[in-house]
Amino acid sequence: RVAREPGPAAAAVTTATRPRDGGIVQTTGNTMTSLLEDPSLEQHFKGHRDTITSIDFNANMKQLATGSMDSCVMIWNLKPQMRAYRFVGHKDAVLSIQFSPSGHLLASASRDKTVRLWVPSVKGESTVLKAHTGTIRSVQFSRDGQLLVTASDDKTIKVWTVHRQKFLFSLSQHINWVRCAKFSPDGRLIVSASDDKTIKIWDKATRECIYSFYEHGGFVNYVDFHPNGTCIAAAGSDNTVKLWDIRMNKLLQHYRVHSAVVNCLSFHPTGNYLITASNDSTLKILDLLEGKLLYTLHGHQGPATCVVFSTAGDFFASGGSDEQVMVWKTNFDAANYEEKLKNQSQPVNCVLKDLEFSSQLPECASKTHAAEQVLKTDFSDAGSKFPSQQKKYSSNILASVSEPALPFNQSHPQEGSGIPSALASTLEHIVGQLDVLTQTVTILEQRLTLTEDKLRECLDNQQKS
């Protein structure tokens, strides 16, 4: 069952369609939202004997891999009438799996304190990597496929070479279990999340921690980089999802959309959407450009434990404690809204909500928005990092307007509040100037990022020469 989140700022349009899985899709939103095509369940598999802990697509889109508490790794062939492979080798629960970028290898991390590298074929051959002294909770390949990073209950993050299958070095500043570690898209940084309630950013070259984010509400179960590498998203045990800017070290967005622990998240390749999986049994799709909840998907019976977008973003897959593997077609990212958006009378404005001054801002923002926009950011430059995908996803930069935030100069509480018209006009003018200033800062930030990228290219070229 797919539920589209309602938009309060426009007349509602309710439709009912029957997706491929036979369930009812209830769509409630404004006219603009109804242009979106809902996600649909394409395939589902069952073969594990316990909770599914991790899931990943092969880049060739012919295979899907899962790890489970039943100690097995399974390879599901996405073509019909093709049998699944069950890989047996780990002596305890498999907690994390990932295909290499080429798809020729599959890494798995286990409670048995080992990492295995599998050849994803019918033979199921594997080699074992040992260095950790505790449960390994996370494994990931670098973008170039040359390195692995692992996170463990022994409080360390370890980096390995894939070709020689050797341990390289450890990162050791966490004071409790490390639940997750990921490379940045350019491979120069590593982010880690620990039960010590910190998220740390590491410089891979110097092997030093360059910044720590402190989580006061609970520990982070999962963390990952945005596709453009400028921010990170964290799934929390306090039921929240947070996005942090790692250039300014500021909280960008804070979502309270789940009613239970958030276990996993995955960015769409464009960087415009984020999908989350929670113990409340739902998957949630967040629109990061609008800062809002877009869809709630009900499919799993019990906790949804893992979720991932495919490399191209046209599919996503989820797993849960019900031992079910579900493959969904994204659909909503393929719509071309450009012509429709030209007919909109006004652009959508994002509400700014600064933590330090939140008590002074209009209350209407928090009531109409599931997300709290703490700092304004622009995710639309993600496509520039992926030239081959830029044309395909260009329409996604223009997000739907199903639930626009009220701009400050249109906030309803002013109506009938007794504020003199002259004062209201002055306030509107100030807010308008602040909006212009915010947009200017955003543009300067983009230009700074481009300058940094150009400078980095020049330095790399000098080193090569």
Side-chain angles (χ1 to χ4, degrees):
R1 188 161 57 88
V2 182
R4 181 181 293 153
E5 299 307 316
V13 176
T14 303
T15 61
T17 59
R18 186 168 296 277
R20 297 184 187 183
D21 63 338
I24 294 294
V25 177
Q26 291 186 336
T27 305
T28 305
N30 61 22
T31 308
M32 191 66 206
T33 313
S34 64
L35 297 171
L36 292 172
E37 188 176 349
D38 299 320
S40 58
L41 182 62
E42 296 289 299
Q43 293 177 277
H44 60 93
F45 307 105
K46 191 165 184 179
H48 282 294
R49 302 182 181 94
D50 206 337
T51 298
I52 296 166
T53 57
S54 186
I55 194 164
D56 195 33
F57 285 97
N58 192 322
N60 65 18
M61 286 305 295
K62 295 179 181 178
Q63 295 177 322
L64 181 73
T66 52
S68 169
M69 297 295 287
D70 64 9
S71 307
C72 294
V73 173
M74 291 197 71
I75 306 289
W76 310 90
N77 288 293
L78 297 177
K79 289 186 176 179
Q81 285 81 49
M82 291 284 288
R83 296 188 62 182
Y85 308 143
R86 184 190 303 273
F87 293 167
V88 179
H90 284 294
K91 297 177 175 62
D92 208 333
V94 177
L95 301 181
S96 180
I97 56 98
Q98 195 195 35
F99 278 105
S100 63
S102 67
H104 299 314
L105 288 175
L106 176 72
S108 60
S110 171
R111 194 179 280 166
D112 67 10
K113 307 174 187 177
T114 69
V115 171
R116 283 182 178 261
L117 290 176
W118 309 83
V119 178
S121 64
V122 67
K123 292 183 180 180
E125 299 170 336
S126 68
T127 55
V128 182
L129 306 181
K130 293 182 180 180
H132 281 291
T133 58
T135 295
I136 306 175
R137 295 189 176 271
S138 170
V139 64
Q140 190 212 22
F141 285 93
S142 58
R143 181 67 64 89
D144 61 9
Q146 299 299 307
L147 300 174
L148 278 174
V149 62
T150 53
S152 170
D153 286 2
D154 64 13
K155 307 174 188 176
T156 70
I157 301 107
K158 296 189 186 296
V159 176
W160 317 68
T161 173
V162 174
H163 177 65
R164 295 185 179 180
Q165 298 180 4
K166 298 285 186 180
F167 162 68
L168 290 178
F169 60 87
S170 286
L171 304 173
S172 310
Q173 282 190 28
H174 283 296
I175 57 174
N176 208 331
W177 295 355
V178 188
R179 289 189 173 261
C180 189
K182 300 282 185 178
F183 285 111
S184 61
D186 62 11
R188 295 186 302 170
L189 301 175
I190 294 171
V191 63
S192 61
S194 167
D195 281 13
D196 62 12
K197 296 187 177 181
T198 67
I199 300 170
K200 294 186 182 292
I201 307 292
W202 308 81
D203 186 308
K204 190 189 73 180
T206 63
R207 305 178 190 180
E208 293 183 356
C209 177
I210 57 179
Y211 196 80
S212 294
F213 297 97
Y214 292 91
E215 277 290 332
H216 301 292
F219 56 81
V220 172
N221 285 315
Y222 195 93
V223 67
D224 202 2
F225 280 93
H226 186 276
N228 70 9
T230 62
C231 70
I232 57 172
S237 63
D238 60 353
N239 310 350
T240 68
V241 176
K242 294 178 181 177
L243 275 78
W244 305 84
D245 188 308
I246 63 170
R247 297 165 297 180
M248 298 184 293
N249 301 324
K250 296 287 187 180
L251 183 63
L252 293 173
Q253 293 179 342
H254 185 184
Y255 294 90
R256 296 186 181 96
V257 293
H258 285 290
S259 58
V261 171
V262 186
N263 295 309
C264 189
L265 52 79
S266 178
F267 280 102
H268 190 273
T270 60
N272 296 347
Y273 305 102
L274 183 73
I275 189 166
T276 58
S278 168
N279 277 0
D280 64 13
S281 80
T282 68
L283 307 177
K284 304 269 188 182
I285 297 172
L286 306 172
D287 184 331
L288 300 180
L289 297 181
E290 294 284 327
K292 68 177 183 183
L293 176 61
L294 195 61
Y295 290 103
T296 295
L297 285 74
H298 302 267
H300 291 284
Q301 303 297 316
T305 51
C306 51
V307 68
V308 67
F309 274 111
S310 63
T311 305
D314 49 349
F315 289 89
F316 59 92
S318 61
S321 62
D322 57 2
E323 303 164 17
Q324 292 273 3
V325 179
M326 297 185 179
V327 180
W328 308 74
K329 198 169 191 312
T330 305
N331 292 330
F332 61 83
D333 70 326
N336 188 341
Y337 317 122
E338 290 192 35
E339 291 303 318
K340 282 87 177 178
L341 283 170
K342 286 178 182 177
N343 298 325
Q344 298 295 308
S345 59
Q346 290 184 344
V348 177
N349 293 304
C350 290
V351 172
L352 299 178
K353 194 166 186 181
D354 193 328
L355 286 177
E356 296 178 5
F357 303 101
S358 58
S359 62
Q360 302 173 23
L361 296 178
E363 286 297 319
C364 63
S366 60
K367 290 179 182 176
T368 59
H369 238 19
E372 292 183 12
Q373 292 269 8
V374 182
L375 288 172
K376 184 162 183 162
T377 187
D378 185 0
F379 293 102
S380 62
D381 64 343
S384 64
K385 302 289 181 179
F386 300 93
S388 62
Q389 297 177 1
Q390 196 166 8
K391 183 177 180 181
K392 182 175 180 180
Y393 294 117
S394 61
S395 62
N396 291 330
I397 304 307
L398 303 169
S400 79
V401 292
S402 65
E403 190 179 349
L406 292 170
F408 287 160
N409 59 359
Q410 295 177 11
S411 56
H412 298 319
Q414 286 185 7
E415 297 175 10
S417 61
I419 298 175
S421 59
L423 178 58
S425 177
T426 303
L427 288 172
E428 286 180 9
H429 177 72
I430 292 171
V431 170
Q433 293 300 312
L434 286 172
D435 192 43
V436 171
L437 180 60
T438 302
Q439 293 176 18
T440 304
V441 171
T442 302
I443 292 169
L444 289 173
E445 185 180 317
Q446 291 175 356
R447 289 179 178 175
L448 179 60
T449 302
L450 291 171
T451 305
E452 289 173 348
D453 291 343
K454 291 291 184 184
L455 181 60
R456 193 176 298 129
E457 287 178 14
C458 292
L459 291 172
D460 290 344
N461 292 333
Q462 285 181 359
Q463 290 176 356
K464 288 178 182 178
S465 60

